[in-house]
Amino acid sequence: MTPEIQSQKSRALCELAPVIPVLVVGDAARAEGLATALVAGGLPVLEVTLRTPAALDVIRAMAKVPGGHVGAGTVLTPDDAKRARDAGASFAVAPGLTETLVRACDDIDLPLLPGAVTASEVMRAMEFGYRMLKFFPAEAAGGAKSLKSLAGPLPQVSFCPTGGVTPQNAPDYLSLPNVICVGGSWISPDAEVAAGNWSAIEARAREAASLRG
């Protein structure tokens, strides 16, 4: 799957909702309930970061939830990408971009949403064929103002900013012509996940789903 096709598929996923929940889940037993609540709240695209020992089991469980599209975040190596795909991930998200990772995702037909923050990094991604990118860490890299500046010389590239995105600043990002959606971790607080408070998480997901229109 070429980077051009990967970007088309990634963009199609990003267009499904204004927010992609970024999830760090340590207990796979909570995965199905969490995914069900998020999808019911109008957020069908979920990013499960590979930052816990349970992450692959979480992806396996969430991939079974009807209406959901589960991807793996913090994908750093070809092995990460393969394990994520084998667990049921339908896309991968990386904080940056390497040629090795690009080739691996091409070989295993896994759409990759790679990260970039500088004009040079964006141009390098474009050389590979990517037109849909992650902007990370968004707030630390200048926030909405930086993304707005990139839209001038690089209008053909679209972004999903993550890192420091909140309900308060998300509208600033979503108002930009080169932003398709944002990624955020505020929708599923650890305490509510641990308690299985799915109704509260679903309500928060509904609020996030309404951020754009």
Side-chain angles (χ1 to χ4, degrees):
M1 183 185 295
T2 65
E4 290 88 352
I5 295 175
Q6 291 178 38
S7 274
Q8 292 171 15
K9 292 183 176 294
S10 294
R11 183 182 178 115
L13 289 171
C14 288
E15 289 174 341
L16 292 177
V19 180
I20 296 178
V22 179
L23 310 169
V24 182
V25 184
D27 183 2
R30 298 296 185 186
E32 184 175 357
L34 175 57
T36 299
L38 292 168
V39 172
L43 302 181
V45 184
L46 315 175
E47 177 189 338
V48 177
T49 63
L50 300 183
R51 300 181 190 177
T52 72
L56 294 174
D57 288 332
V58 170
I59 290 172
R60 289 188 185 93
M62 288 188 171
K64 299 175 183 177
V65 174
H69 305 271
V70 184
T74 323
V75 173
L76 306 178
T77 68
D79 185 59
D80 288 341
K82 185 179 185 303
R83 290 186 298 123
R85 188 215 47 190
D86 291 347
S90 57
F91 65 97
V93 183
L97 179 149
T98 66
E99 185 173 353
T100 303
L101 189 57
V102 171
R103 289 177 176 174
C105 289
D106 188 351
D107 289 342
I108 65 174
D109 292 332
L110 184 67
L112 174 67
L113 181 65
V117 292
T118 67
S120 293
E121 289 171 352
V122 174
M123 290 168 64
R124 176 168 168 77
M126 290 172 62
E127 286 183 350
F128 282 110
Y130 290 100
R131 294 294 184 273
M132 182 72 219
L133 301 174
K134 172 179 177 175
F135 185 76
F136 173 85
E139 282 294 286
K145 290 183 178 180
S146 288
L147 268 173
K148 184 177 181 179
S149 297
L150 288 174
L154 301 164
Q156 61 272 68
V157 180
S158 298
F159 295 91
C160 170
T162 70
V165 179
T166 67
Q168 290 71 40
N169 62 27
D172 295 334
Y173 288 102
L174 293 169
S175 68
L176 299 176
N178 58 342
V179 170
I180 305 300
C181 66
V182 300
S185 59
W186 78 86
I187 302 160
S188 55
D190 291 343
E192 290 184 357
V193 174
N197 192 355
W198 308 135
S199 60
I201 290 174
E202 181 178 340
R204 196 174 285 107
R206 290 189 186 281
E207 292 177 359
S210 69
L211 281 175
R212 180 189 291 141

